[in-house]
Amino acid sequence: MYSEKVMDHFNNPRNVGEIDNASGVGTVGNAKCGDIMRMYLDIDENQVIRDVKFKTFGCGAAVATSSMATELVKGKTVNEALQVTNKAVMEALDGLPSVKVHCSLLAEEAIHAALWDYAEKHGIKIEGLEKPVSDIGEKEEAPEEEY
Ligand code: FES
């Protein structure tokens, strides 16, 4: 049911933890399943993501997608990190079962929430970044596809 990559990131999640004095922190949840994800970003003066850590209180797919999402945004600029959509994360994981697609939205939204927090703290505007929602259940109406 799960790809090898999903199992690998679930069993050995990368970048788990917290960052003290993070440049941006984002927390999002899904009220339907009760899962929560928190993302910490350390961003340098060139707007490059120097470090990223996450904590997920959620299902295995949420852990695997957050882990892969942190790998994908590390070393990227904030604008590049915006391109790391849940679809990109799922592709990098060789797919997710369709009932688990919504879990990957937590990862995308947590990154956006952390970027939003960073932008607010530093008084900057990140082009294309919309104000994140704290409950991604609101976003789940989008059609779910299998990847
Ligand atoms: Fe809630 Fe996966 S079931 S994030």
Side-chain angles (χ1 to χ4, degrees):
M1 177 174 169
Y2 288 115
S3 72
E4 273 178 33
K5 281 193 190 161
V6 172
M7 291 313 293
D8 178 32
H9 279 265
F10 170 60
N11 287 320
N12 307 294
R14 324 307 197 250
N15 306 309
V16 173
E18 298 175 21
I19 296 176
D20 290 337
N21 302 316
S23 316
V25 182
T27 306
V28 297
N30 183 333
K32 281 188 195 155
C33 62
D35 293 347
I36 297 171
M37 186 181 300
R38 182 167 298 154
M39 195 70 76
Y40 301 81
L41 296 175
D42 177 23
I43 300 171
D44 73 12
E45 60 284 358
N46 298 316
Q47 297 196 352
V48 173
I49 298 172
R50 197 159 38 189
D51 198 11
V52 48
K53 296 262 191 262
F54 81 94
K55 281 198 159 173
T56 293
F57 309 93
C59 73
V63 171
T65 50
S66 345
S67 168
M68 180 55 92
T70 59
E71 292 265 277
L72 292 177
V73 299
K74 206 173 197 174
K76 293 216 163 74
T77 65
V78 296
N79 286 310
E80 288 167 345
L82 263 192
Q83 311 307 316
V84 179
T85 59
N86 75 309
K87 198 173 164 189
V89 172
M90 282 193 291
E91 277 170 7
L93 285 170
D94 293 337
L96 274 180
S98 55
V99 294
K100 287 289 172 185
V101 169
H102 74 274
C103 314
S104 65
L105 277 176
L106 268 184
E108 176 187 313
E109 205 59 23
I111 291 171
H112 288 183
L115 287 172
W116 185 268
D117 182 47
Y118 160 74
E120 281 212 316
K121 279 184 185 154
H122 294 78
I124 57 170
K125 187 168 168 15
I126 301 174
E127 210 53 55
L129 179 63
E130 290 175 15
K131 193 171 188 338
V133 295
S134 54
D135 174 11
I136 59 126
E138 297 164 20
K139 281 198 152 187
E140 264 182 56
E141 307 315 323
E144 294 187 351
E145 294 169 44
E146 193 147 6
Y147 291 93

